[in-house]
Amino acid sequence: MPKGLKRYYGTGDLHFITCSCYQRQPWLDTAQRRDLLLKCLEEVRKEHRFVVLGYVIMPEHFHLLMSEPQLGDPSTAMQSVKQRFAQRVMPRRRQRNPAPRSLREPQPMPVWQPRFYDFNVWTERRRIEKLRYMHRNPVKRALVKEPEQWLWSSFRYYKYRDVGLVRVNDCDVMQMRLRQPSV
């Protein structure tokens, strides 16, 4: 872990996550790629068993407000989302080329910046603040005039109860942790 980066896991807090594309390149600038990222997020949400409280996909980054996963932690969940998306956008060819590295074909540019920003959210006031920030992001960037026009955010869930590609506030993936009876 880089010096100065401290993550707080295991506290039961919500996590406000920001993942950026490599060198702020607009890897998410098409509807197809934004939809693909949401599909990857939904797959990982089910596998790692966490609740998504909000999200927004922007052309060069995304924000996510999530619970702690029951399997793994936010780092492993984000690694899975980012890898899954990158592999589907830019499939890597396995090379068995004995030529020196300088003579091989160049490898594709990375899709994601390493790591991500994680802010623990432990109050209702902060939860609402982060949701508002996410939902206003496309308006602030002049991608749309109103938040409900941006199809790649959880705003439409909150306003219209629209069920999108990612299930918001869906606790069905969570499993009860049964305690062993004390003897």
Side-chain angles (χ1 to χ4, degrees):
M1 187 177 320
K3 187 176 180 176
L5 180 61
K6 185 117 172 105
R7 304 224 192 262
Y8 296 98
Y9 296 157
T11 60
D13 294 338
L14 299 176
H15 293 270
F16 178 69
I17 307 282
T18 302
C19 294
S20 296
C21 295
Y22 184 71
Q23 296 181 347
R24 302 290 282 182
Q25 293 295 311
W27 281 99
L28 304 168
D29 63 346
T30 66
Q32 294 83 5
R33 286 190 178 172
R34 289 189 292 268
D35 286 347
L36 175 61
L37 180 61
L38 291 175
K39 288 174 186 170
C40 292
L41 175 59
E42 179 62 8
E43 290 171 8
V44 172
R45 180 191 74 82
K46 290 177 183 174
E47 288 172 16
H48 288 258
R49 298 198 309 252
F50 59 88
V51 177
V52 170
L53 287 89
Y55 64 87
V56 65
I57 311 298
M58 301 296 287
E60 70 294 312
H61 72 282
F62 71 88
H63 297 293
L64 173 66
L65 183 60
M66 64 182 281
S67 70
E68 288 202 9
Q70 285 188 325
L71 297 177
D73 56 37
S75 291
T76 57
M78 289 305 97
Q79 180 182 26
S80 293
V81 170
K82 290 163 70 173
Q83 281 180 347
R84 212 168 278 212
F85 177 81
Q87 288 168 352
R88 291 178 187 172
V89 169
M90 297 203 45
R92 290 187 181 254
R93 292 173 291 213
R94 294 196 180 254
Q95 291 184 351
R96 293 189 177 242
N97 186 347
R101 185 169 254 162
S102 62
L103 299 177
R104 293 182 196 169
E105 289 182 28
Q107 290 296 309
M109 181 174 61
V111 174
W112 300 104
Q113 283 292 119
R115 299 180 294 278
F116 61 92
Y117 174 77
D118 181 6
F119 177 86
N120 286 55
V121 176
W122 60 89
T123 66
E124 181 67 7
R125 186 178 136 266
R126 286 277 192 214
R127 183 186 69 83
I128 292 168
E129 173 188 297
K130 297 303 180 190
L131 283 171
R132 283 184 178 154
Y133 174 81
M134 285 189 290
H135 294 154
R136 291 178 181 159
N137 208 332
V139 175
K140 184 177 178 183
R141 292 270 305 276
L143 297 170
V144 291
K145 291 191 184 297
E146 300 294 330
E148 58 265 26
Q149 295 172 320
W150 190 250
L151 302 178
W152 302 276
S153 95
S154 54
F155 183 86
R156 295 177 61 80
Y157 168 81
Y158 285 101
K159 184 161 186 176
Y160 305 116
R161 291 295 183 237
D162 280 358
V163 177
L165 294 173
V166 173
R167 308 241 348 156
V168 177
N169 291 327
D170 179 9
C171 297
D172 289 347
V173 295
M174 306 301 274
Q175 293 183 357
M176 292 285 289
R177 295 183 184 172
L178 301 175
R179 294 184 186 180
Q180 296 296 325
S182 55
V183 184

